[in-house]
Every structure is written in C-alpha cells, then in structure tokens.
Amino acid sequence: MNRPIRALLLIWLALLVVLGLGVGVALLELGTWSLVLNLALALLMAALLVAVFMDLLHAAPVIRVFALGALLWVFLLAVMLPVDYLTR
Amino acid sequence: MSDTVTIASHFEDAEQQREAGLMGMWLFLATELMLFAGLFGAFGIYRGLHGEAFAEAARHLDLPLASINTAILLTSGLTMALAERSVQAGLIVVARRWIVATVALGAVFLVIKGYEWHHEFAEGLMPLLGLPFDYDGSHPAQAELFFDFYFAMTGLHALHMLVGLGALAVLWVLGRPQPGPRADRYIRQMRITGMYWAFVDVVWVFVFTSLYLLRS
Amino acid sequence: MSEPETHYLNDGWTLRSWLLTTDHKRIAWMYFATITAFFFIGGLAALLVRLELLTPAGDMVDSDTYNKLFSAHGIVMVWFFLVPSIPATMGNFLLPLMLGARDLAFPKLNLLSWYIFTLGGLFTMTAVIAGGVDTGWTFYTPYSTLFSNSAVVLAASGVFVVGFSSILTGLNFIVTTHKMRAPGLTWMRLPLFCWANYATSLIMVLATPVLSMALLLIVLERALGIGIFDPELGGDPLLFQHLFWFYSHPAVYIMILPGMGVVSEIITCFARRPIFGYTGMVISIMAIALFGFIVWGHHMFVAGQSLYAGILFSFFTFLVAVPSAIKTLNWTATLYGGRIRFTAPMIYALSFLGLFTIGGLTGVILASLAVDIHLHDTYFVTAHFHYIMVGGMVTAYLGGLHFWWPKITGKLYSGPWSIVAALALFIGFNLTFFPQFLLGFLGMPRRYHAYPEEFQLLHVMSTLGAGVLAVGYLLPMVYFGWSLWRGKPAGDNPWDATGLEWRTTSPPPKHNFVDTPTVTGRPYDYV
Ligand code: HEM
Ligand SMILES: [Cu+2]
C-alpha cells in the first residue's frame, strides 16, 4: 500500500529506459533476435507495471496465486495454439 | 477504524468487504487478459505464417510518434499511482490534481492515436468499410490482414482507454473532500480504477510491441 | 409442519421488488423463468427437426429452413439454456446458503448479469426471427463470414453479450466461495456442489473471454468488411475453430460439472451414506477443469489440422476421461451397501449416472483418431453429446430441481407423478438418442434433412422417443405448478439431508439465516 514516491519514480524511469531499449532493438532490425528481445522487453515492462503500478507485490497470497493462474492460462493458449501450425 | 466505514449488509466486516472487492477486480482483469490473449494469439499465428509481409507492413506505421505516445501512457500510469498514493494518505485535494493529470495524459494519447489513424486513412492504409487499400509493398494481401489487426487492436485498446477515462472522471467528481465512511469507499474505488488503468498500460505495451516493433 | 411467517418470497409482491431485487434467491427465480422459456423455444425447434426427419424425403421444410432450425436449436439450447442452467439458478440460490452466507459477494453484479443475459437473449431471438442463422451453433468460418447471408452479426453479438453474463456470474461465485464461508467451513468441508460450481466458475472466467474475442472478430469481419479469417488475405478459417474450441471444449465441462455437483448431493442423501472418496472427488473436479483446456483439437481431427496436433489432442483427450471415470466410480461405490430410497431426485440421479457413463465412453471412442475419421460429423457425435448434455446435464438439472424444490418454495410436490416423469425421461431419452448411435455408425451424417430409405426405421424411433421425452419435460411443469398453488408445507428438511441449506427454514428468510451457522465437521455425515 505505502509505495514511496521515490520507488514509483524509479519504476517509471525504468519503464522509459526499457521502452527506449525496445525501440532501439527494433530499429537495429536483427531479425529473429529483435523478435525475441522485443518480446522479452515487453514482458519485462508488463512485469514492472503489474508488480508496482498494480501493486501485485503487496497483494494477498491468493491474489498472487490468481495472477500466476492467469499467466498459466495465457501460456496454455500460447503453447497449444501454435502446435497445429508448426506441424502442418 | 470499522466505525467509520459503511459495510454492506451481507458482509461481516470491512476487511472482508475490501478483500472481496479487490479479488473481484483481479479476476475481472484476468478475464480481460484472456480476451486480449485470444486477439494476440490470432495475431501471433498470422505473424508466424506471414512474417516477412507483416514486418514490411509494420514499417508503414509511425514508430516515432507511437514511441512518444507510449511514453505518455506510461507517464499516465505514474500519475495514476501517485493519485492513489495521495488518497491513501488522505490528501484528496492532491489526489484530484493527479487525476486531472492522468486524464490529460490519457486524452493526449488518444488524440495522437486519432491523428495516426487519420494519417493512415489519408495514405489509403485503412481497409475498413470498403475503403480503398493503397499499399506499395510486395505483399498487399497479407498487409491488408496486418492492417485489419492494427485497427482491431488499437481500436479495442482505445475503447478500454475511454472506459478508464470515464471512471477517472467519475472519481474526480466524487472526490470532493468528505469525512468518515465515504473516504474508505473512495480509497477502494481509487485502487480498483488504478489497477484497471495500469492494466490498460500493460495491454498497450503488447499492442505497441506486436504492431510497431516487430519490423524485421 | 408449517411455513415460516416471513421469508424471501413474501417479502414484497410488486414487480419492482422482483426486477430490482439483489436477493440471490429471487434472481435465481428470474433465471429459472428466463431459461425455461429458452428451453421451450429450443425444444420447439427440435420438435420441428424431428418431425422433418420422420420421412426420408426432405418434404416438410426446405434445406435452408432446416439449417436454420438446427442452428436455432443448438444456439438457444447451448448458450441460453445449458451454460447458465444449473449455476445461474440452483447455484445462485444455493451457493450462499451452502456457504452459510447472507448473499453472494456482489449482489448488484448478480442482478446485472441477469439483465445482460436477457439482453443477449433478445439480440439472438431477434436474429432468429429476422431471417435466422444457418451456421450451426458453432458459427464456423467461413459459413459465418464469407458464405452467409443470414443474421450472423446479430446472433453472434447475442452470444457475445451473454458471455459477459457468465463471466460475471463466475467471478461472483469465485469471490463468494473464497471470502464468504461460514466459520469452520474449510475448503475440505465444502459440499461437492460448491466445488463443482467453483470449478465451473473458473472455466467461465478463463475461457469465455476467448470465445468473446473469436465472436468479436467475426462481428468485426462482417460489420467492418475486413478479412480476419479470409484465406484470400492469408487468413485461416481454421483459426476460428481453434479459438472457438479453446472455449467450447472447456465449456462442455461448464455444461456438466454443475450437474456432477448436483448428483453428488442427491446420491449421498438417498443412499444414506457419506460420499465415497471425497478428496478424490474434489481433485477430479479440479482436474477436469484444468485438463479440459488442452483437448480442444479433438473437434478438428478431420478439419485440416496437422496430423501431429491430432495425435497430441487425441492423447490428451484420453487423459481427460480419467477424472470423469473416477467420479463415476465413486458414485457407484457410494451406492454400494447404501439404504437406497427411490425418490424422484434419486431416479434422476441414477439416470444421470447411466447416461453420463454412456456419453463419456462414446467420447473416448470418438477421441480415437482413426475411428473418428469414420464417425466425425455423423449422428454418432450427435448422440454422444446429447447423452452427456441432455441425458447428463438436463437430467441433473431436473434432479436438483426436485431435490431442492421443497427448500426453494417451501412446498412438497406429488411423489408418484414425479416418479412417472423421471421414468418417462429415462425411457424417452434412450429411445430418442440410442438409435442415433446406430445411425451414425451406419454412416448417416448430421445436419441433413433428407436421407436414404434404410435409415427411416431408426429415425422414426428417435422421433417417437422425443415425444415421450417431451412428456417427461412437461409433466413437472404441471405438478410443480400444482405444488406452488396447493402443495403441503415441506418443513425445513424433508429429506433428512445434511448441508447448511437444510438448517434454515423453507423457504429461507430474506437473509438466509437467523444466526450465522458454524460448521464443525466434514460434509455428508449420513448414518
Ligand atoms: C468423457 C470425456 C469426453 C470425451 C473423451 C469426449 C470426446 C469428444 C470427441 C472426440 C468429440 C469430437 C467428435 C467429432 O466431432 O468427430 C466430441 C464432440 C462433442 N462432445 Fe464430447 N467428450 C467428452 C465429454 C463431453 C462432455 C462432458 C460434453 C458436454 C457436456 C461433450 C459435448 C460434446 C459436443 C457438444 C460435441 C460435438 C460438438 C459439435 O461438433 O457440434 N463431450 N467429444
Ligand atoms: Cu470437446
């Protein structure tokens, strides 16, 4: 609950830095590497947003389990959906 | 504390009421996540099938402008978090200023987005409603598919922004300094709106990455 | 025995006191009324379909109309009856009572879900009247996109809207189960009905949005004239099937898990024995909810999905049958050595057991990749899912209604007539759908209104059976109506059942309990 202003500002700066990195990586056009790095950076930004701006860090244990569950379900979709397309 | 809080008749105490509300919001956001997961899943499949065409189409978008816009949205996430913090500290007047800042940043984001859409419309890159699609790259058909997704994704995100802005406007109106039980309720509403707003940021991060950044 | 003086039913008689109520018990009634209406609308379409199939020639309606009839039947029955059936009515009514709570966690949201449900229903009914839909209940692309001239946008929007109603109900149930349990009611003391609704709610919350997105993409494709699934642009019509079944296979468990919950309650009560293997039951409920998500490809074996994906999905589908088998085993073991009372609810529950087993086993047959090449899109599939959805879920719905009717209304209904109705259902059902297994096995495809002569006998049997089945569904309307009007007071606990819902008066007071109950032991302490 009591997130100090300094922490919030730091996270905001971190987000902007990661954004800059992402744009940089995209502009370098490294092909598959850009793809992987850009997705990783997006996940990192999402993690920061969820952990601090949505305050998952201080949420009750059940809530953290829920968040993990939601992630697992996205993962299920992300893993199972391409199976067909990758093996056609 | 509990004597200053209104508790709905079916709850036992303020703690239960607060936790139930928070849990409900988290679950709601989980469904929102799955909603977008379906959309991104579909996009991901096509990105895999037509990688080259999609990368080329992505280069037709305005990356600099969108990057600035992303920074604006992330900043609005910060102001929202500050608004929440102020409310929790009992500083309603300050909180309302942060709300104004958040709304302003959100509105700027939408204006810029609208400008981008208009630009694409003018370039003939808006294959909606039978509008002509004038594309100069080497895979016009798949590019059209890309732009279909572009408008579906950014449009759906903008819709979520509008809902968030509406909620913020309500919070601003409700937020005249009040004593007692209302304050507690206001804190809860603020928290829930803050979560929603941050979630909309998360969605944008993925929209931005998928559409603008995957260009090679 | 006498009725309590004040209870939720006589707390206000105005229309307003119903339409603006936030009492979960009254909202349950509103759902009862709405889904019963949908059940009879869907039933009417089924009646027309069965009448057409009496003769080999397609003579009663033309093929376009026939397509619209079975689509209307499927759409109404699946989305507007079966998905909400048990959760929105009995779940709504009983979950707070079983948990010892005064209401669901979000009473206003509960009311809102009913309005959303009704709104979605209106959309879809408008579509059915204004031209109809010919895509089948699955809205497959490209039938629903490139090649449809019917009211797809409206119908799909209706289903889209209704999705939010189930999402909100699921969300409400989950939070309620987590946060509103009475003192002493730990997770492993929850009645299985609560567990079943909890698992169902998880599926509703996590799967429904993916369906919403799939439908939204269809609506966008048609309304904005874009080409998300259009092969000419490099789109893939199969992608829609993937997204659709990512929801809809789990959704078939939305359409059976609550029934399993109901049956568990009934069987222990009338066998007078605690449920066999409670922990195993809980684990299998949750396992079904989880593994239901990784088998969807078994609907696409012959649709053009890759062979390797087919093999994987076939394998997972065999696995998902295991928890269902465990449950069937446990119910049977509960019966073993019990002092069984053959009341109407028990007959429904036993019918469920038999019909669900047949439905489940034929599912395993269909899950065998090679066999499905022959059986896919035949009447065998139709029979399979009707054995589960109608023989299983609708039977459980009626069983639950008969079990809790005295609690819900405070009245008793006719014992003999209810037994007649339950038996009519069992006989009528088998007569209707068993011939369809044979038809499918002999190669009769589904969704055709004309067929070769040699299939006629089986089709006639099926149509006659549907007549008997209809009696089984209409009869309860009569004696339930009578019971409301003239029924004897039921008393708090006419079946001598355990569970918190039986500890309050029938009908319950507005806030469910006079004093919050406490729980000190495991559920089902019969004997
Ligand atoms: C015991 C586990 C089950 C297994 C192994 C199983 C297996 C299958 C398979 C392999 C198919 C595809 C057949 C084909 O289209 O060729 C199928 C279709 C179907 N199943 Fe099941 N199933 C099971 C349980 C259920 C349940 C519980 C329900 C509903 C409550 C259900 C409802 C359906 C429906 C509606 C279809 C056909 C959908 C359509 O094409 O219109 N199944 N099942
Ligand atoms: Cu399935």
Side-chain angles (χ1 to χ4, degrees), chain C residues 231-506:
Chain C
E232 250 181 60
L233 303 182
D236 178 20
L238 261 199
L239 181 61
F240 174 80
Q241 293 190 23
H242 276 301
L243 294 177
F244 179 85
W245 288 113
F246 181 86
Y247 163 78
S248 285
H249 186 83
V252 306
Y253 292 108
I254 294 180
M255 296 183 253
I256 195 68
L257 278 168
M260 293 172 159
V262 166
V263 165
S264 305
E265 302 294 318
I266 297 177
I267 284 186
T268 53
C269 174
F270 294 104
R272 313 305 299 166
R273 292 192 63 208
I275 199 97
F276 180 88
Y278 174 86
T279 313
M281 288 299 229
V282 170
I283 294 174
S284 50
I285 288 175
M286 296 309 280
I288 286 176
L290 174 62
F291 293 121
F293 275 89
I294 53 173
V295 301
W296 80 78
H298 63 218
H299 295 275
M300 301 164 62
F301 285 156
V302 297
Q305 176 184 239
S306 90
L307 179 62
Y308 299 99
I311 293 171
L312 189 72
F313 281 123
S314 171
F315 175 70
F316 283 147
T317 306
F318 288 135
L319 284 189
V320 83
V322 173
S324 297
I326 292 178
K327 297 186 70 68
T328 313
L329 207 90
N330 284 358
W331 287 317
T332 318
T334 308
L335 291 172
Y336 183 77
R339 286 175 287 122
I340 297 174
R341 282 195 275 158
F342 288 97
T343 57
M346 187 61 163
I347 295 176
Y348 283 114
L350 294 175
S351 303
F352 172 97
L353 201 54
L355 301 177
F356 173 73
T357 305
I358 297 178
L361 286 178
T362 50
V364 178
I365 294 175
L366 289 170
S368 323
L369 197 44
V371 181
D372 190 60
I373 309 280
H374 173 58
L375 292 176
H376 176 70
D377 259 344
T378 67
Y379 265 79
F380 195 91
V381 175
T382 315
H384 153 67
F385 66 75
H386 280 86
Y387 260 80
I388 296 182
M389 295 161 110
V390 182
M393 185 68 161
V394 182
T395 306
Y397 174 78
L398 283 171
L401 202 55
H402 283 78
F403 186 52
W404 283 294
W405 182 264
K407 176 55 61 187
I408 294 173
T409 64
K411 304 276 191 352
L412 294 176
Y413 51 85
S414 158
W417 278 113
S418 57
I419 289 177
V420 171
L423 290 174
L425 179 142
F426 184 73
I427 295 164
F429 179 85
N430 281 301
L431 196 55
T432 312
F433 289 104
F434 199 80
Q436 298 189 2
F437 279 128
L438 305 178
L439 280 169
F441 195 73
L442 296 172
M444 164 97 200
R446 47 195 290 216
R447 297 180 169 169
Y448 283 81
H449 76 321
Y451 55 84
E453 304 255 332
E454 65 257 34
F455 293 139
Q456 189 174 11
L457 178 64
L458 289 168
H459 269 304
V460 170
M461 280 169 71
S462 185
T463 302
L464 289 182
V468 181
L469 191 55
V471 173
Y473 289 142
L474 288 170
L475 212 52
M477 301 286 288
V478 179
Y479 58 76
F480 278 154
W482 179 264
S483 148
L484 276 182
W485 186 42
R486 276 287 151 94
K488 295 203 199 74
D492 294 353
N493 190 357
W495 312 115
D496 276 328
T498 65
L500 292 183
E501 79 270 30
W502 303 104
R503 284 210 221 158
T504 184
T505 53
S506 317

Side-chain angles (χ1 to χ4, degrees), chain A residues 1 3 12 26 31 54-55, chain B residues 75 84-85 88 191 213 216:
Chain A
M1 291 293 111
R3 294 162 293 176
W12 171 68
M54 281 167 83
D55 210 14
Chain B
T75 311
E84 246 185 86
R85 210 192 112 85
Q88 277 159 7
R191 175 93 184 81
L213 294 188
S216 62

Side-chain angles (χ1 to χ4, degrees), chain C residues 206-223:
Chain C
L206 291 168
T208 316
V210 178
L211 172 79
S212 310
M213 183 45 73
L215 292 172
L216 187 64
L217 289 176
I218 283 193
V219 170
L220 288 182
E221 173 149 356
R222 286 182 69 92

Side-chain angles (χ1 to χ4, degrees), chain C residues 96-115:
Chain C
L97 284 167
M98 288 185 164
L99 297 177
R102 287 191 282 271
D103 206 321
L104 289 174
F106 308 113
K108 286 185 203 139
L109 205 62
N110 197 17
L111 182 65
L112 180 68
S113 5
W114 181 80
Y115 277 100

